[in-house]
Amino acid sequence: MPEEPHEAPPESAGGRFGASIRNADYLPKWFLLGTTIGVISGLGAVVFYLALKYTGEFLLGYLADYHVPTPLGEGGSRGSTGFTRAWAIPLVTTAGALLSAIVVTKFAPEATGHGTDEAIEAVHTDPRAIRARVVLVKLVASALTIGSGGSAGREGPTAQISAGFSSLLTRRLGLSDEDGRVAVALGIGAGIGAIFAAPLGGAVLAASIAYRDDFDYRCLLPGFITSGTAYAVLGAFLGFDPLFGYIDAEYRFERAWPLLWFVVIGVVAAAVGYLYARFFHSTVALVRRLPGGPILKPAAGGLLVGLLGLAIPQILSSGYGWAQLAADRDSLMSIPLWIILLLPVAKIVATCLSIGSGGSGGLFGPGIVIGAFVGAAIWRLGDLAGLPGVPERPGVFVVVGMMTCFGSVARAPLAIMIMVAEMTGSFSVVPGAILAVGIASLLMSRTNVTIYEAQRLDRAAAEAERTRGDSPNVN
């Protein structure tokens, strides 16, 4: 039987070691906890990466004879040039979604969806509430969803895996509620930072992911230890290269007025990010009202994604390889203009069908790809029209689009900006990025929209909610 989620463990929890951790000073406590969470987060990211890699190679590669492009940090393959078994694509996406739904429904229904909201909710309500079995179920279900071509990211599963271990640690060691909340937040940041090889961004994310308009400084210093350790563990197995290599790392701003293009990126990316969040949450609400059970609905979503993928292959699976190709001038020019313009919306639709219908996977990854093609579309149109100030290569627009679109809608602009800079090795784009991300975040702050509905407004609101003893439902 699982532990009662709202019942604190006894003082004897964890034995002598648990008591020593609870009574330790700040530095030794968070050095030990941070290192432990970091090791498990890194190992969890490695296991999930390998599970996803081999699942994708079997389901899409072997069964459907279709290979998705991969980013430079994962080999830089350009993937298949077309479908040799087009009929197999919708069958594979449907079967993967069906198997994923069966696993989730039978073993851990809370592992459905993107997972990050559930981890954030544990931070705010009960850091002991994530069941241990969710870790394994989330890993298997997400590998099936994404490996079969479902449009989802791999950060949600790693966040829930790492947060699940932190929740288990909180229970077993009898940590206080306050320490438990920090531990689960550290798990979220370390898991996401590890899978994207972005340790600094992961540390900052741990301190900002739980709130729309606030920053929890208690998580920042332990986050450095946790994310750094997770990155070291992942790198020891998979290498330390940035996910997307070094995109326009030598780019330099030489004049002021071309920065106006980043104002355009900020406005357009904010609008697309807003559409992403609203459409996703509307899809979740609609699917709940539709007839059919928790197995049939994800399978239907998988079928629709497969059919859409036949027309626009770029929406299949995570799509990181396509974001890589969008940053290269020759590769981007080879993609039809209509696909580039339509792809941000098509990727939103595919993600809502895959995850909003009850599939398992993250929202961060698709948000990165959506933003990449927002930047690519703006560059392509500007280049086609011969407008002044457009750089010779699209990489800088693509990188800033990644940062801006998801950073604003996730209400974590600084963390996402740092993470994308680490993922692309492109810190030289920061002057334009802070302008675009700042504008998009200001526009988004005028709304109540966020991709993560479990986020609270700020620490004061979260504390007041806990004092009252109530909490909103997570959609």
Side-chain angles (χ1 to χ4, degrees):
M1 293 293 290
E3 294 88 351
E4 291 296 328
H6 295 286
E7 185 176 311
E11 284 298 317
S12 60
R16 187 174 299 176
F17 179 72
S20 66
I21 290 292
R22 290 192 298 271
N23 298 324
D25 293 334
Y26 180 87
L27 180 59
K29 174 191 293 184
W30 287 110
F31 180 79
L32 287 172
L33 289 176
T35 303
T36 304
I37 294 170
V39 169
I40 298 300
S41 298
L43 290 174
V46 170
V47 171
F48 180 66
Y49 170 82
L50 294 175
L52 181 57
K53 179 177 183 290
Y54 292 120
T55 302
E57 288 179 356
F58 177 74
L59 294 178
L60 274 180
Y62 178 74
L63 296 182
D65 196 22
Y66 179 75
H67 301 275
V68 297
T70 58
L72 281 178
E74 298 174 2
S77 167
R78 301 181 73 88
S80 301
T81 56
F83 298 117
T84 57
R85 300 177 193 162
W87 55 269
I89 297 296
L91 294 180
V92 168
T93 57
T94 304
L98 179 64
L99 290 173
S100 174
I102 291 173
V103 169
V104 168
T105 302
K106 182 173 179 59
F107 296 105
E110 65 267 40
T112 189
H114 59 91
T116 309
D117 261 336
E118 286 69 20
I120 295 173
E121 187 67 19
V123 173
H124 291 304
T125 54
D126 184 6
R128 304 173 184 86
I130 303 175
R131 293 194 294 169
R133 69 170 62 182
V134 172
V135 172
L136 181 58
V137 171
K138 191 68 178 178
L139 188 153
V140 173
S142 298
L144 287 169
T145 297
I146 305 170
S148 63
S151 178
R154 55 199 187 194
E155 84 297 329
T158 55
Q160 199 164 18
I161 289 168
S162 302
F165 173 75
S166 298
S167 184
L168 175 65
L169 205 63
T170 302
R171 291 195 298 272
R172 296 305 186 199
L173 297 182
L175 300 181
S176 66
D177 285 352
E178 181 178 351
D179 286 345
R181 295 186 217 287
V182 173
V184 173
L186 295 180
I188 298 172
I192 296 177
I195 199 67
F196 287 129
L200 179 56
V204 177
L205 189 69
S208 56
I209 190 67
Y211 305 99
R212 295 203 302 269
D213 298 323
D214 207 345
F215 194 87
D216 193 344
Y217 293 93
R218 296 173 303 171
C219 298
L220 189 58
L221 295 180
F224 292 150
I225 297 172
T226 306
S227 289
T229 303
Y231 174 67
V233 171
L234 179 116
F237 288 93
L238 303 178
F240 294 94
D241 290 335
L243 179 63
F244 294 104
Y246 296 89
I247 298 177
D248 279 1
E250 302 302 320
Y251 181 86
R252 295 292 181 271
F253 291 94
E254 298 176 348
R255 291 172 293 175
W257 68 266
L259 285 168
L260 292 174
W261 276 107
F262 297 93
V263 176
V264 176
I265 294 175
V267 173
V268 176
V272 174
Y274 179 87
L275 176 67
Y276 183 26
R278 290 301 299 268
F279 194 47
F280 176 77
H281 296 311
S282 297
T283 301
V284 172
L286 175 62
V287 167
R288 285 178 173 171
R289 295 195 297 268
L290 292 176
I295 295 177
L296 179 61
K297 292 176 184 179
L303 174 61
L304 293 175
V305 168
L307 295 174
L308 180 59
L310 294 177
I312 307 177
Q314 290 83 357
I315 61 97
L316 292 172
S317 197
S318 61
Y320 303 136
W322 287 109
Q324 180 82 68
L325 294 175
D328 178 74
R329 181 186 178 94
D330 293 338
S331 299
L332 183 61
M333 296 299 284
S334 69
I335 302 175
L337 179 61
W338 71 270
I339 288 184
I340 295 172
L341 297 177
L342 187 60
L343 190 54
V345 174
K347 189 67 174 175
I348 290 173
V349 172
T351 305
C352 292
L353 290 172
S354 293
I355 309 305
S357 65
S360 185
L363 297 174
F364 185 127
I368 291 293
V369 178
I370 291 164
F373 275 90
V374 168
I378 292 173
W379 181 89
R380 186 75 179 269
L381 291 175
D383 183 73
L384 184 65
L387 297 176
V390 177
E392 181 181 352
R393 294 176 297 183
V396 61
F397 278 23
V398 169
V399 172
V400 173
M402 291 181 187
M403 297 174 174
T404 308
C405 184
F406 197 75
S408 61
V409 76
R411 299 301 189 97
L414 179 60
I416 304 303
M417 186 166 63
I418 295 172
M419 289 187 74
V420 172
E422 292 178 290
M423 291 158 60
T424 59
S426 301
F427 283 92
S428 60
V429 307
V430 167
I434 58 176
L435 188 60
V437 172
I439 289 172
S441 298
L442 284 173
L443 291 173
M444 200 66 69
S445 70
R446 304 300 298 172
T447 74
N448 290 322
V449 172
T450 172
I451 200 73
Y452 299 128
E453 289 198 316
Q455 287 177 329
R456 305 311 196 252
L457 179 64
D458 52 30
R459 286 175 293 169
E463 185 59 37
E465 178 186 293
R466 287 192 288 269
T467 301
R468 294 193 306 268
D470 61 345
S471 63
N473 294 325
V474 181
N475 292 323

